[in-house]
Amino acid sequence: MAASVAGPEIERLIQLLARLPGLGPRSARRAALHLIKKREALMTPLTSALQVAIDKIQVCKTCGNIDTQNPCTVCIDPRRDPSIIVVVADVADLWALERANATNGRYHVLGATLSPLDGIGPQDLTIDALVARAHAPEVNEIILALNATVDGQTTAHYITDLLSEANVRVTRLAHGVPVGGELDYLDEGTLSAAMRQRTLF
């Protein structure tokens, strides 16, 4: 067993940092050391920002986004198109679509995708709230922006069945060749999907 090279407080900092996605034990040690060396410039403002996040950040009751206000900034933005709801699995997906400026619609965050192997069923997602929102008179399209994985597609089919009685058009993101992609490097599933969903040039 490796000997500890720092006090328990520093070891705890390293252990907590190692829980963050993308940081293993070695990266966490480097990050902790950097924070300690730059205490005034980094650690103090970071501590303050984390405390503000703990105190003020909340989940939007309308869409499931996270923000410092409820309803969130996206839900109350009058420039958004209320007729479109973009369904995503996670807040990270919402943020990715916003970075790309891909839509002017509103969002609905499911919280995850259906995954029987992980014990995630319909009751664990915000599907009931989505169905209720889909029945609002101003909504006419639900865009399923879910991952092209087995769990993502299973979730999309499940939601589509539930929305059959709502007066909305249910669409999904196109699948196929990514911008800048070379055919030789793509997997067979992506190439098949691209060929099936070909469009006029």
Side-chain angles (χ1 to χ4, degrees):
M1 186 169 154
S4 179
V5 295
E9 297 84 3
I10 295 173
E11 287 297 327
R12 175 146 171 75
L13 175 62
I14 293 167
Q15 289 170 4
L16 290 171
L17 288 171
R19 291 184 188 175
L20 295 172
L23 285 185
R26 294 177 75 186
S27 299
R29 285 192 181 283
R30 284 196 296 273
L33 188 57
H34 186 71
L35 285 170
I36 292 165
K37 284 180 179 177
K38 306 276 187 181
R39 259 184 289 196
E40 294 303 315
L42 282 176
M43 193 178 278
T44 303
L46 179 60
T47 303
S48 175
L50 287 171
Q51 190 58 54
V52 169
I54 290 168
D55 295 339
K56 295 193 174 180
I57 292 178
Q58 52 191 312
V59 176
C60 177
K61 290 179 182 165
T62 304
C63 74
N65 189 18
I66 55 173
D67 203 339
T68 54
Q69 60 185 23
N70 201 346
C72 71
T73 306
V74 175
C75 285
I76 64 171
D77 186 347
R79 297 167 298 178
R80 295 275 172 174
D81 185 350
S83 70
I84 298 171
I85 296 177
V86 182
V87 180
V88 294
D90 192 72
V91 173
D93 301 329
L94 185 157
W95 289 359
L97 289 169
E98 283 298 290
R99 276 195 315 273
N101 200 20
T103 180
N104 192 35
R106 302 226 167 122
Y107 291 94
H108 188 88
V109 180
L110 295 173
T113 52
L114 296 173
S115 180
L117 291 176
D118 297 320
I120 301 172
Q123 70 283 354
D124 300 310
L125 309 180
T126 60
I127 294 175
D128 290 343
L130 171 64
V131 173
R133 289 181 72 191
H135 281 86
E138 69 272 12
V139 177
N140 60 37
E141 183 178 9
I142 303 289
I143 302 173
L144 300 175
L146 301 171
N147 291 332
T149 60
V150 172
D151 290 345
Q153 296 311 297
T154 300
T155 306
H157 287 294
Y158 183 82
I159 290 171
T160 302
D161 290 343
L162 291 178
L163 294 176
S164 61
E165 294 182 9
N167 189 24
V168 293
R169 186 168 60 124
V170 180
T171 59
R172 69 173 190 172
L173 298 183
H175 299 148
V177 179
V179 174
E182 296 183 29
L183 297 184
D184 191 35
Y185 293 102
L186 299 178
D187 63 276
E188 291 82 4
T190 300
L191 284 171
S192 296
M195 189 59 75
R196 284 194 310 273
Q197 297 176 39
R198 64 191 182 275
T199 58
L200 289 172
F201 191 65

